[in-house]
Amino acid sequence: MPDKQTRQYYTSAFESVIAQLNKEQELAVNHIEGPMLVIAGPGTGKTHILTARIGRILQQTDAAPYNILCLTFTDAGVLAMRERLLEFIGPDAHKVHIYTYHSFCNTVIQENLEYFGRHDLEPLSDLERVEIIRRLLEQLPQEHPLIKGKRDIYYHEGALYDLFKRMKTENWTSEFIYNKIDAYLKALPEREDYIYKRKFKDFVKGDIKEAKLQEEVERMKKLRSAAALFPIYKEAMYKARRYDFDDMVLWVLKAFQENEALLRNYQEQYLYLLVDEYQDTNGTQNQVIQHLIEYWDKPNIFVVGDDDQSIFEFQGARLKNILDFYQKYEKSIELVLLKDNYRSSQNILDTSIAVINNNEKRMVVTLENLEKKLAAQNQFFATSTIKPHLFEYHNRLAENTDIVNRIEALHQEGFPLNEIAIIYAKHKQARAIIALLEKKKIPYNTKRRINILDLPMLQNLRLFLQYIAKEYRQPHSAEEELFQILHFDFLGISAQDIGRLSLYMAKHQASEDLYWRSILQDKKLFKLLKIEKPDTILEFGKLVDELIIHFNNYTTLKLLEKLINRSGLLKKIIHHDDKTWLLQVVATFFDFVKKETERHPRLTIYRLLETLRNMDANRIALGVNKTIYSDNGVNMLTAFGAKGLEFQYVFLLDCVKENWEPTTKGMQGRFTYPDTLTYSNIEDAMEARRRLFYVGMTRAKEQLYISYSKKDNKGKPLGRAVFIDEILEDTTLKIEEKILDKTALFEAQVLLLKELQVAQVERLDEATVNGLLANFALSASSLNRFLNCPLSFYYQYILRIPSSSSEAASYGTAMHFALRRLFDKMLLSETKTFPTEQVFIEDFEWEMKRQKGNFTKKEYQRRLKAGRSFLSKYYQYYIDEFPKKVKPELDIRNVVYKDVPLKGAIDLVEYLDKNYVHLIDYKTGSLDDKKLKMPTKAKPYGGNYWRQLVFYKILFDNYKSSNSIAQSGEIAYLETDKTSQFVKEKRTLSSKEVDVVGGMITAVWQKIKKHDFYQGCEDKNCKWCNFVKRNIMSDTYNDIEAEELDDL
DNA sequence: GGCCCCTCTCTTTTT
DNA sequence: GAGAGGGGCC
């Protein structure tokens, strides 16, 4: 019990707080019995009155602190509330039940474990979530709408999770979704968009657009089948003894609905209920509140919120909740509207109001007796004569440059940077300006969530681990990784030295059975090749050997530690400008591995690497909230993140349509929901974005700069956000066009453009390269490679960097093999009959077994299953049509066309008659008719498959042991398309096409002879260009080009 | 108006 | 990899 003196101190402190309240605040605080709704606009002292009212209840009623329940949204909210309450009423503040929705529900669960049935439940980690959903997908049949036609069966994993999450936060059942889908589809043919408005082709006015309708039906089929998986997901979670955040609320809601005694307990305990940020509650949370108060006709519930600041609709927050609440208790409810704003100048408030007044779905519109005009009361800024500015710039470079220059000037005057915020809608809008701040060494804060697994440093570390693991399992199986690792800058090996070794290897590797790993310890060779820094390489070689030898003795953590310490990485980090951040990254990674080791005590490197790959595939960030923080830095925030904060200067950045106004696009990685199910239509979406803009504006205390650019940096015109026009219409503010002088722009451009260069490597010694080229002949693949990126050609075909086979390519090989054996066996049989389907599939399985090393266990099972199924169908479909006058796998070498040596292997040559043949190339994977396109202006090289077919014609026609001519070519897909058909794309091959591809062949050959291949391409995702530019390998799905042509 | 085809881009955040 | 927006054509 606090002593008398302390009590007195707090009593008088609290009284002085009460005395300072304005009229509306006082009304709200002194209201104790019955429902009340407080509309608290920005800067009106929301937390203040909530806590003051708690104090009031304790002061004036018999209620004990534990009779009061105060719910808010975030931990930060709880913290702020508790702190304020401590100031007002002292230590009793700790006894008041202030919770987030989730911590409240978790408490209910913990207090009633016998009801919830299980004691051993644990929260679900991100990784486990992925594993559960993946297992679910793996069990689906090939024909399932979510699997069919997908290269990656986990493709919908993210969308599924999104759907399940939404079903939980909205308390939707599968049946509920089915009903909404049915209603949607039923009404669809009556919609304007689905009816022809005038005659078109065979259709007359009034006909239904069947194709468009069908598209929608397909989408809904996917959603329906996804929703059907929800119970299975829940079951799997239960079996795994896991629950997630949304379950906490959902289970409590269910308990409240099903068990009256349990609900009654809580209803009796909580005599007073206070809810903060009511506009952010989602469906399930709101229902929990409703249950807690439904016992009384006139519940003592005190709800604070601001409908104009409801910006979290995407996570289920519902504006409608506030209005429903008001209407439900209309008879007894008291409504208070807080109008005094203690933050901003009147000028800023008036401008903000001009924007938000355009919203129609507002309390003030629905309840007409309200006038929501904020009055500035801040003692420093209220009467400031400074007006907000609307700046228009020529382009984003000018906009960013000007803002940064302005901040730089403020910084030099000694103005505290933490009173400045740059606010935007999406993180990507801030990329360029952050780069500028960095280059100008202006400190800034951002709390963007970053996945450290994406950072080059960790990718490199992982590659190193992967190398050690692979080499341990099978020596010399990871030469490609080793070559990449040699380039890591922290090892300190010189590029010149690697070049010398590469040339040596390219020349001698094949003939002498050499391996990179073995030459790393070859001192004699180093001398011979005049290696500059042999010791560095020797040191590295020693480390690699040691790690491989001890691979099984070291624990995963120890191995990692050795690797970081001994490789030079740690040294490099310690001397780096950004060492605090980099150390944080390494530490976080270490912590993660440690945690994984605790979960799986015998965690192997293999398992760790697989876990990490899973995380990549599912964009699971390594729980890192990267905050770049300086005590006095400019605040870089999204409008969402800025909520609740305030700054003297606010720059609303890049206020253009494309970023601030709603996107019509459905989010990628989500299912499309029917609009009978989603809560908002297009106008609602615009209002939501307007609220976001309003939140951004109302962060400013004194100075507000709203800016946009007329064009993007490429010159494409941009439209300013409609909110700016609304300001122009309802205020006296005018657009101010800002023109920057050329020097300032140029300087910024130079600062920013450094990174855009095309990758380039040094020319190598002519004679040696000529030596490497001596036996080179152009294939369809190498031609393709060169046309796409000469630098990649150089690495792959000149230096012949070893590359491991991807699982997709290995699967393709096995499929090709089965086809080839099918025709071989037919030709060898006396009766010229094809072997049975079983034999056909056994051949596929045989080759798969041979390729097994290139698959993980799961990949192998899946590919085996897929291959069997496709080949079986293929056999049954085509067995009676297969041609018999054929030559499978025709391997052609030593062809010279216009002085260019050519080679290649043709999957199947079909002899049509004495003079003509037809060329067939088998493909696995999904069909893409772009690849069969002839050259256009934009794509002067044409599609890869088209070029390949013409190349084969040239190859075949110039092949000496043949007297016939290739008349036509065909791409035959061994997998079915969306409509379960095997697609065959046939083309007659003309002499004109031969001339076009012939031209490419001779042009490329000229360049190769001139060694004109040291320059990269412009593709951001190019594997080798990224390797040269940043020493990292980008391992994205975009790297399918290489295995596409699968010829040689 | 309606469709084909090419091109461009791929949020926001808390528990 | 997919969906939307814009240009071009009927």
Side-chain angles (χ1 to χ4, degrees):
Chain A
M1 236 0 224
D3 59 48
K4 203 177 162 192
Q5 214 183 350
T6 324
R7 264 208 317 268
Q8 215 154 35
Y9 166 79
Y10 282 115
T11 310
S12 67
F14 185 59
E15 284 309 326
S16 77
V17 168
I18 297 285
Q20 282 166 29
L21 296 174
N22 67 40
K23 209 180 77 205
E24 291 88 13
Q25 288 179 326
E26 209 184 316
L27 209 67
V29 168
N30 287 331
H31 170 95
I32 302 221
E33 305 296 321
M36 170 163 238
L37 171 61
V38 179
I39 310 254
T44 51
K46 186 170 51 83
T47 313
H48 199 70
I49 62 150
L50 264 169
T51 37
R53 183 169 181 269
I54 295 175
R56 207 54 159 176
I57 293 169
L58 289 173
Q59 192 187 43
Q60 299 206 336
T61 71
D62 292 337
Y66 59 79
N67 290 135
I68 300 172
L69 174 63
C70 181
L71 290 176
T72 184
F73 215 66
T74 63
D75 285 329
V78 172
L79 215 66
M81 200 94 69
R82 179 99 58 202
E83 258 170 35
R84 190 71 62 90
L85 197 59
L86 273 165
E87 283 170 30
F88 289 177
I89 65 163
D92 265 2
H94 288 296
K95 296 185 196 156
V96 178
H97 286 194
I98 303 176
Y99 286 119
T100 63
Y101 291 98
H102 294 91
S103 60
F104 170 69
C105 290
N106 204 23
T107 307
V108 174
I109 293 174
Q110 294 304 320
E111 284 173 354
N112 300 282
L113 276 178
E114 76 291 343
Y115 177 80
F116 289 95
R118 308 191 68 155
H119 307 256
D120 50 357
L121 293 167
E122 271 188 57
L124 179 86
S125 78
D126 286 351
L127 266 169
E128 290 169 322
R129 183 196 81 214
V130 169
E131 278 163 15
I132 286 180
I133 297 185
R134 292 200 154 204
R135 243 173 281 141
L136 209 155
L137 282 166
E138 282 159 16
Q139 285 158 12
L140 299 178
Q142 197 82 36
E143 290 303 308
H144 193 276
L146 297 179
I147 304 289
K148 206 164 111 182
K150 285 277 168 292
R151 176 176 298 190
D152 171 13
I153 61 159
Y154 306 123
Y155 183 78
H156 286 295
E157 193 261 296
L160 266 183
Y161 174 62
D162 183 74
L163 174 69
F164 295 161
K165 188 173 173 55
R166 183 146 297 193
M167 289 175 79
K168 281 183 183 181
T169 50
E170 302 289 341
N171 204 9
W172 291 341
T173 59
S174 307
E175 287 73 26
F176 177 78
I177 293 182
Y178 302 157
N179 290 339
K180 294 291 180 186
I181 291 175
D182 291 340
Y184 174 69
L185 287 181
K186 199 173 161 220
L188 221 47
E190 283 149 38
R191 294 194 186 194
E192 287 284 290
D193 306 1
Y194 291 85
I195 296 167
Y196 281 100
K197 300 216 172 46
R198 63 173 175 75
K199 189 179 149 37
F200 180 80
K201 283 189 184 162
D202 294 339
F203 304 102
V204 297
K205 183 181 164 181
D207 276 0
I208 292 167
K209 294 178 190 169
E210 285 297 341
K212 193 176 160 138
L213 193 67
Q214 204 48 42
E215 254 177 49
E216 213 53 27
V217 170
E218 285 300 318
R219 275 196 198 113
M220 289 305 123
K221 213 161 130 190
K222 267 190 188 165
L223 176 63
R224 184 190 290 269
S225 64
L229 297 175
F230 187 51
I232 307 176
Y233 174 66
K234 280 204 296 194
E235 178 67 23
M237 292 265 287
Y238 189 74
K239 274 194 188 142
R241 294 187 283 116
R242 294 289 184 271
Y243 68 106
D244 61 23
F245 284 116
D246 302 310
D247 287 328
M248 292 182 198
V249 187
L250 204 60
W251 291 357
V252 168
L253 175 61
K254 217 173 146 224
F256 281 175
Q257 283 166 347
E258 288 170 0
N259 188 324
E260 206 176 319
L262 188 136
L263 173 64
R264 210 58 91 217
N265 267 340
Y266 288 96
Q267 287 172 334
E268 278 162 18
Q269 179 182 351
Y270 293 123
L271 303 175
Y272 296 93
L273 189 59
L274 296 93
V275 183
D276 188 16
E277 304 274 18
Y278 192 62
Q279 78 280 354
D280 286 341
T281 50
N282 65 37
T284 322
Q285 292 161 344
N286 192 41
Q287 286 181 53
V288 168
I289 297 172
Q290 294 304 326
H291 278 295
L292 281 173
I293 60 174
E294 73 188 1
Y295 184 66
W296 293 280
D297 291 336
K298 276 178 67 177
N300 298 324
I301 179 164
F302 184 84
V303 160
V304 182
D306 182 12
D307 50 339
D308 290 338
Q309 293 186 78
S310 167
I311 53 176
F312 288 107
E313 270 176 327
F314 62 86
Q315 51 186 49
R318 204 70 55 77
L319 201 54
K320 215 169 137 271
N321 288 345
I322 297 192
L323 199 66
D324 286 350
F325 174 76
Y326 180 81
Q327 282 162 348
K328 185 167 178 193
Y329 295 104
E330 199 155 14
K331 278 182 207 138
S332 56
I333 199 166
E334 279 201 51
L335 180 77
V336 169
L337 178 67
L338 300 181
K339 288 179 185 167
D340 285 339
N341 170 293
Y342 297 95
R343 176 185 297 155
S344 315
S345 73
Q346 192 62 50
N347 282 331
I348 287 171
L349 292 177
D350 289 345
T351 313
S352 317
I353 290 165
V355 172
I356 201 69
N357 269 342
N358 289 284
N359 269 8
E360 307 231 315
K361 300 212 163 109
R362 298 175 76 199
M363 295 291 287
V364 286
V365 177
T366 322
L367 316 172
E368 283 172 32
N369 56 339
L370 290 180
E371 200 211 354
K372 200 172 179 183
K373 188 164 181 342
L374 295 167
Q377 302 290 353
N378 181 291
Q379 55 170 325
F380 301 110
F381 305 118
T383 56
S384 166
T385 53
I386 301 170
K387 297 209 162 176
H389 290 280
L390 305 173
F391 286 152
E392 180 186 84
Y393 295 91
H394 174 66
N395 62 18
R396 284 180 174 145
L397 181 70
E399 183 178 356
N400 291 333
T401 310
D402 195 41
I403 292 174
V404 169
N405 285 350
R406 185 150 180 92
I407 290 172
E408 194 177 27
L410 284 167
H411 189 33
Q412 277 160 6
E413 286 167 23
F415 184 82
L417 293 183
N418 50 18
E419 272 296 321
I420 302 176
I422 299 178
I423 295 178
Y424 35 89
K426 303 171 189 176
H427 285 299
K428 66 162 189 182
Q429 290 175 276
R431 272 234 302 269
I433 208 162
I434 286 179
L436 262 181
L437 288 170
E438 247 166 31
K439 299 262 157 81
K440 293 210 164 198
K441 302 217 183 312
I442 300 172
Y444 66 93
N445 307 325
T446 142
K447 44 175 190 178
R448 181 176 190 179
R449 178 171 280 269
I450 281 190
N451 184 5
I452 62 167
L453 295 180
D454 288 342
L455 298 175
M457 183 173 76
L458 280 195
Q459 291 197 346
N460 287 347
L461 202 56
R462 283 165 64 182
L463 186 69
F464 213 141
L465 285 175
Q466 189 183 318
Y467 170 70
I468 307 289
K470 265 178 134 175
E471 280 293 294
Y472 175 78
R473 192 174 264 181
Q474 193 187 344
H476 310 308
S477 65
E479 290 277 288
E480 185 185 10
E481 284 89 341
L482 181 56
F483 178 78
Q484 291 161 20
I485 292 167
L486 282 172
H487 288 78
F488 290 171
D489 54 356
F490 57 80
L491 297 175
I493 300 172
S494 93
Q496 291 295 331
D497 285 350
I498 300 172
R500 291 189 182 99
L501 290 172
S502 304
L503 282 177
Y504 179 81
M505 286 300 281
K507 257 188 169 167
H508 302 274
Q509 192 165 24
S511 52
E512 294 167 33
D513 219 11
L514 277 180
Y515 291 104
W516 276 92
R517 191 174 142 202
S518 35
I519 65 162
L520 290 182
Q521 307 265 26
D522 192 341
K523 281 188 209 169
K524 252 195 252 158
L525 178 69
F526 292 172
K527 229 176 224 159
L528 180 79
L529 296 176
K530 300 203 175 68
I531 294 293
E532 287 164 11
K533 287 160 54 184
D535 290 347
T536 326
I537 304 177
L538 285 169
E539 190 67 25
F540 170 69
K542 243 163 66 194
L543 173 65
V544 166
D545 273 358
E546 188 191 318
L547 290 177
I548 294 170
I549 291 165
H550 290 294
F551 183 76
N552 241 0
N553 305 332
Y554 291 161
T555 63
T556 298
L557 269 174
K558 175 126 190 232
L559 191 84
L560 193 61
E561 193 186 314
K562 272 244 173 323
L563 204 157
I564 292 173
N565 291 335
R566 293 264 317 271
S567 64
L569 181 61
L570 194 63
K571 198 170 139 201
K572 166 103 185 167
I573 290 174
I574 287 169
H575 292 99
H576 199 276
D577 279 351
D578 212 1
K579 55 173 168 263
T580 341
W581 163 238
L582 292 179
L583 278 171
Q584 195 187 327
V585 169
V586 175
T588 314
F589 185 65
F590 248 92
D591 279 352
F592 168 76
V593 177
K594 226 185 235 160
K595 252 190 224 144
E596 282 297 298
T597 320
E598 280 158 16
R599 286 193 340 147
H600 311 280
R602 307 185 70 190
L603 178 82
T604 58
I605 294 280
Y606 301 114
R607 175 152 182 139
L608 175 67
L609 289 170
E610 201 191 327
T611 305
L612 292 171
R613 268 198 303 274
N614 270 347
M615 293 172 74
D616 286 346
N618 297 285
R619 305 233 174 75
I620 298 174
L622 196 49
V624 191
N625 230 344
K626 179 188 182 182
T627 42
I628 296 181
Y629 185 76
S630 354
D631 286 335
N632 183 26
V634 184
N635 297 286
M636 306 294 299
L637 299 155
T638 63
F640 301 94
K643 203 174 164 207
L645 306 176
E646 53 180 42
F647 309 93
Q648 199 169 332
Y649 276 74
V650 166
F651 294 87
L652 276 187
L653 184 69
D654 196 25
C655 300
V656 295
K657 280 190 188 303
E658 63 176 38
N659 288 319
W660 283 92
E661 291 185 18
T663 39
T664 41
K665 219 185 242 182
M667 250 287 281
Q668 63 143 189
R670 281 187 194 170
F671 295 110
T672 326
Y673 301 123
D675 51 17
T676 46
L677 186 65
T678 49
Y679 22 83
S680 61
N681 55 39
I682 296 155
E683 297 101 75
D684 284 351
M686 185 53 117
E687 295 210 348
R689 299 304 280 191
R690 189 175 283 112
R691 289 193 290 271
L692 186 68
F693 195 77
Y694 175 73
V695 167
M697 292 173 84
T698 51
R699 299 310 96 196
K701 293 196 254 185
E702 185 190 21
Q703 310 237 24
L704 174 61
Y705 296 88
I706 299 171
S707 61
Y708 66 91
S709 314
K710 283 191 283 187
K711 289 174 179 173
D712 71 4
N713 290 341
K714 281 183 203 152
K716 194 185 104 193
L718 298 164
R720 68 180 175 222
V722 65
F723 316 125
I724 293 180
D725 293 291
E726 291 163 2
I727 294 173
L728 292 174
E729 192 157 307
D730 282 350
T731 67
T732 54
L733 298 181
K734 294 272 175 293
I735 299 282
E736 298 163 60
E737 195 175 344
K738 293 270 270 180
I739 295 161
L740 270 69
D741 74 280
K742 287 214 172 78
T743 19
L745 279 178
F746 184 70
E747 192 197 330
Q749 190 129 42
V750 170
L751 281 176
L752 287 173
L753 280 185
K754 272 180 196 159
E755 288 143 27
L756 285 173
Q757 293 153 359
V758 173
Q760 193 162 15
V761 294
E762 265 179 72
R763 291 182 75 89
L764 288 179
D765 169 53
E766 302 262 327
T768 327
V769 176
N770 281 336
L772 290 171
L773 276 170
N775 291 318
F776 181 79
L778 207 59
S779 67
S781 291
S782 53
L783 172 69
N784 178 51
R785 203 13 102 232
F786 193 100
L787 291 173
N788 283 331
C789 175
L791 189 65
S792 301
F793 170 85
Y794 164 71
Y795 275 104
Q796 235 177 298
Y797 293 95
I798 306 296
L799 288 185
R800 293 169 218 166
I801 300 311
S803 73
S804 44
S805 190
S806 75
E807 60 116 11
S810 303
Y811 165 73
T813 306
M815 295 286 273
H816 276 77
F817 179 80
L819 261 302
R820 180 184 162 185
R821 297 292 292 155
L822 183 77
F823 284 101
D824 276 344
K825 284 179 178 165
M826 178 274 295
L827 291 174
L828 285 171
S829 73
E830 278 176 23
T831 52
K832 297 277 181 271
T833 45
F834 286 102
T836 61
E837 180 184 331
Q838 197 194 342
V839 171
F840 180 46
I841 289 183
E842 277 167 5
D843 281 332
F844 164 71
E845 289 165 349
W846 187 85
E847 182 63 20
M848 279 295 282
K849 207 174 270 174
R850 235 174 52 88
Q851 300 273 347
K852 205 168 178 176
N854 296 327
F855 297 92
T856 65
K857 225 176 178 178
K858 272 181 190 167
E859 285 165 353
Y860 186 74
Q861 289 309 326
R862 175 176 131 58
R863 291 294 193 175
L864 202 60
K865 202 170 131 197
R868 281 181 190 141
S869 148
F870 283 129
L871 289 181
S872 157
K873 270 187 244 163
Y874 196 79
Y875 185 93
Q876 288 165 24
Y877 197 85
Y878 283 119
I879 189 63
D880 297 328
E881 303 175 22
F882 280 140
K884 294 197 173 175
K885 286 163 78 182
V886 292
K887 167 76 185 128
E889 198 75 11
L890 177 62
D891 193 353
I892 302 177
R893 280 157 201 281
N894 306 321
V895 161
V896 175
Y897 167 76
K898 294 192 177 168
D899 296 337
V900 186
L902 304 180
K903 66 171 179 185
I906 299 169
D907 286 344
L908 192 67
V909 178
E910 180 185 351
Y911 297 96
L912 299 175
D913 56 40
K914 220 173 69 190
N915 299 319
Y916 294 108
V917 302
H918 175 66
L919 308 175
I920 298 167
D921 192 66
Y922 293 113
K923 299 285 183 205
T924 48
S926 55
L927 115 139
D928 182 353
D929 48 8
K930 242 187 273 172
K931 290 174 183 163
L932 265 158
K933 286 263 150 66
M934 303 257 287
T936 58
K937 235 184 204 165
K939 303 251 153 103
Y941 304 138
N944 287 345
Y945 292 177
W946 165 80
R947 204 180 322 115
Q948 186 186 11
L949 286 180
V950 181
F951 186 95
Y952 284 170
K953 173 176 167 61
I954 295 174
L955 198 62
F956 187 85
D957 292 355
N958 291 278
Y959 178 44
K960 285 201 187 68
S961 48
S962 144
N963 303 316
S964 42
I965 297 258
Q967 179 193 49
S968 54
E970 166 184 340
I971 299 288
Y973 290 91
L974 298 177
E975 298 185 353
T976 51
D977 70 353
K978 270 182 269 176
T979 61
S980 304
Q981 302 288 311
F982 288 105
V983 179
K984 284 177 167 182
E985 295 279 359
K986 285 190 189 181
R987 293 282 182 280
T988 44
L989 301 169
S990 67
S991 60
K992 209 177 138 201
E993 288 168 282
V994 166
D995 289 343
V996 175
V997 175
M1000 291 179 205
I1001 290 173
T1002 47
V1004 164
W1005 186 246
Q1006 288 307 316
K1007 285 190 179 169
I1008 292 174
K1009 282 209 318 206
K1010 280 193 277 175
H1011 302 183
D1012 191 359
F1013 39 54
Y1014 295 107
Q1015 241 196 23
C1017 60
E1018 282 167 5
D1019 184 357
K1020 272 184 297 192
N1021 293 313
C1022 176
K1023 174 171 151 173
W1024 287 107
C1025 287
N1026 279 326
F1027 174 64
V1028 170
K1029 274 196 268 191
R1030 285 192 281 279
N1031 274 346
I1032 56 160
M1033 297 301 270
S1034 55
D1035 213 12
T1036 57
Y1037 354 74
N1038 296 12
D1039 184 39
I1040 46 171
E1041 292 286 303
E1043 56 227 23
E1044 233 161 43
L1045 300 189
D1046 51 54
D1047 63 339
L1048 268 181

